Amino acid sequence: MPRSVDIVIIGSGFAGLGMAIRLRQEGRDDFIILERAADLGGTWRDNSYPGCACDIPSYLYSYSFAQNPRWTRMFSPQREIWDYLRDCSKRYGLGPHLEYGAEVTSATWDEAAGRWLLEVMGSRPISCRVLVSGIGALHVPKIPEIAGLGSFSGTTFHSATWRHDLDLTGQRVAVVGTGASGVQVVPAIADRVKHLDVYQRTPAWILPRPDRAIRAAEHERFRRHPAALRLARNRVYWSLEARGVGFTVSARLQPVAERMARRYLERKVQDADLRARLTPTYEFGCKRALLSSDFYPAVQKPNVALVTSGIGCFTPRGIVDTSGVERPVDTVVLATGFDVSANVKHMDIVGRDGVVLNETWAHGVNAHLGIMVSGFPNLFLLLGPNTGLGHSSVVFMIESQISFVLSALRLLDGVGARAVDVRPEAQEQSVQAVQDDLVGTVWQSGCRSWYLDDTGRNISIWPRSTVRYWLRTRRLRRRDYRLDPGRSQPNRQIREGARA
Ligand code: N01
């Protein structure tokens, strides 16, 4: 017998918890958060590799409605962000709403009842009026298909599932990948290991990270004057938004950033051959530009080797590069990123008329404003397709999406409708507008990045300013949506059964 709740949120990362807090602030308490893991925190729980930290300043990488006067650094380390999320959960009384070990395997729309029916591993089925996915984009580790990987007799793990039980001290280690995760892992373990091979397939554009400790006097000021904290946050927001102009409005600003990155590399790496191997050949910003002040020093340490000849295969002893040289190692860390096209694909989501979301997405993942998919009423995706950013904090995007969901709920309640569904033509138009806006941008300038799917279509980036996104998601444009009159029908018996 299914339990019945009004709203189900899937996932307890930044998106799911933010949604829950705002629901409570609006006086809506009939919701649960289903989390498949044993603790909350999403990507900031999973990514606990040494050196993991945020590359967006702390003031902006937090909720606007729950600002934190106690950040210890300008760029917060993972543990502090995870603690912040746990603190938010406590402060806003989310504990009773959280259910752990509850993996949603399928969601099916029941047209007659106007409700979603969820199958949940480790729990009874659940019936809900509104379903919000807060599972985000970077949660399925990408394990590369490299010949012989299974035959390696040492230890292999992905950066997002770090083996804390394993002491790397004195080991020979290989790190595969030099993206945002790789450039943080390498300096953090370089001094501890006996030898480190860094396998770089494509170099990244890197700028120094202007990190520093936040001083006691600043903490005191923020504690006494919350307006000062808001001001600090606004300053970061507008400076990143200004930086974003180079991505979104005037491509002419990109070479300026590229020059800065090139000069930084020249200053930090004297060896001409190494410098050449660390120099990207694609435009700045095409792949995510990275902030790191310790990656270049780390790859120049005597016990560290940058391998750029490409991975040929794995052997039981180690890795053979494409020129045939075998490098024996004890442990391989795969800092090889995430499968962004996975999004909600591991769930069977069945909408109106038995339409399956995965089939709808077979020719390309897309959603209206990254949030709604036509034919899937009362389903809202947080951090859905094309809502990632190259220049600013995704927490801002999440908050915009949460406001959108809240206004959809107000609309449903206000007009007495049981379902809201985006019209196919509105979705087509907004998806096309995003793809049109991407034409000619740096993200489409020819490099291979995780922003693109296998066909080369960009499924990750919002190509305009975050202000524009905020304006588009502030409230629902009525003509873009179909509203079904009536109330959703939680079976009275089911509800009583659930209470009992
Ligand atoms: O993943 P990535 P990530 N052989 O996809 C290489 C967020 N994040 O986990 O560039 C050899 O960027 C691949 O090479 P190439 C942030 O949004 C945020 O580092 O494809 N190499 C690349 O170097 C970020 O963008 C923070 O040629 C292989 C690397 O692996 C996103 O997460 C911190 C390979 C993957 O880089 C993903 O970052 C960390 C192969 N077969 C992450 N396959 C913050 O600070 C892949 N690679 C907020």
Side-chain angles (χ1 to χ4, degrees), residues 227-243:
L229 186 55
R230 281 198 296 277
L231 187 67
R233 181 187 174 89
N234 286 341
R235 242 191 244 132
V236 174
Y237 173 77
W238 288 110
S239 74
L240 293 187
E241 206 56 8
R243 195 174 87 186

Side-chain angles (χ1 to χ4, degrees), residues 10-60:
I10 308 174
S12 64
F14 254 106
L17 295 179
M19 184 76 243
I21 294 169
R22 294 289 291 115
L23 285 174
R24 291 219 65 198
Q25 288 178 333
E26 295 247 324
R28 295 177 189 271
D29 272 316
D30 189 6
F31 69 87
I32 54 173
I33 308 165
L34 299 177
E35 169 57 60
R36 70 176 168 182
D39 202 346
L40 60 80
T43 190
W44 293 103
R45 173 201 61 225
D46 293 345
N47 286 272
S48 59
Y49 57 78
C52 183
C54 190
D55 58 8
I56 296 291
S58 318
Y59 299 134
L60 192 59

Side-chain angles (χ1 to χ4, degrees), residues 20-288:
I21 294 169
R22 294 289 291 115
L23 285 174
R24 291 219 65 198
Q25 288 178 333
E26 295 247 324
R28 295 177 189 271
D29 272 316
D30 189 6
F31 69 87
I32 54 173
I33 308 165
L34 299 177
E35 169 57 60
R36 70 176 168 182
D39 202 346
L40 60 80
T43 190
W44 293 103
R45 173 201 61 225
D46 293 345
N47 286 272
S48 59
Y49 57 78
C52 183
C54 190
D55 58 8
I56 296 291
S58 318
Y59 299 134
L60 192 59
Y61 205 85
S62 45
Y63 302 120
S64 63
F65 45 80
Q67 290 184 47
N68 179 12
R70 294 180 300 278
W71 294 119
T72 63
R73 305 201 62 83
M74 292 301 281
F75 292 85
S76 307
Q78 169 263 343
R79 183 73 212 200
E80 213 170 306
I81 300 175
W82 190 19
D83 286 346
Y84 164 76
L85 289 174
R86 284 203 281 226
D87 181 56
C88 284
S89 167
K90 263 197 219 113
R91 251 198 293 165
Y92 292 93
L94 302 186
H97 299 267
L98 276 155
E99 298 187 12
Y100 295 111
E103 179 169 357
V104 178
T105 54
S106 73
T108 306
W109 176 249
D110 179 344
E111 191 72 68
R115 296 179 76 79
W116 285 98
L117 183 67
L118 311 185
E119 296 290 336
V120 184
M121 223 187 264
S123 159
R124 322 215 295 270
I126 297 170
S127 150
C128 64
R129 179 174 66 121
V130 169
L131 181 58
V132 182
S133 164
I135 68 172
L138 301 171
H139 62 102
V140 179
K142 202 170 184 176
I143 307 297
E145 286 170 18
I146 302 174
L149 183 57
S151 72
F152 176 57
S153 63
T155 311
T156 311
F157 56 88
H158 190 273
S159 54
T161 51
W162 193 268
R163 287 277 306 271
H164 290 282
D165 58 324
L166 194 73
D167 186 4
L168 296 180
T169 310
Q171 285 202 13
R172 295 184 69 88
V173 177
V175 172
V176 180
T178 51
S181 304
V183 302
Q184 292 183 337
V185 170
V186 167
I189 63 170
D191 289 334
R192 206 188 314 161
V193 301
K194 182 173 170 203
H195 180 83
L196 181 58
D197 291 322
V198 179
Y199 285 86
Q200 172 192 275
R201 187 164 66 181
T202 316
W205 284 114
I206 299 179
L207 286 166
R209 187 166 69 155
D211 194 18
R212 67 167 175 82
I214 295 174
R215 293 179 282 274
E218 292 172 282
H219 284 143
E220 184 56 19
R221 193 169 75 243
F222 294 148
R223 204 182 53 76
R224 285 173 170 224
H225 310 289
L229 186 55
R230 281 198 296 277
L231 187 67
R233 181 187 174 89
N234 286 341
R235 242 191 244 132
V236 174
Y237 173 77
W238 288 110
S239 74
L240 293 187
E241 206 56 8
R243 195 174 87 186
V245 170
F247 288 96
T248 54
V249 181
S250 171
R252 273 174 307 178
L253 292 176
Q254 285 305 97
V256 177
E258 192 169 310
R259 256 199 312 279
M260 283 164 61
R262 206 178 283 277
R263 266 197 221 122
Y264 176 59
L265 173 61
E266 280 162 10
R267 251 195 352 263
K268 288 292 171 184
V269 180
Q270 309 305 320
D271 180 301
D273 170 61
L274 182 63
R275 205 167 54 230
R277 292 191 292 135
L278 287 166
T279 305
T281 51
Y282 56 85
E283 280 184 44
F284 183 97
C286 184
K287 293 159 96 73
R288 190 180 172 94

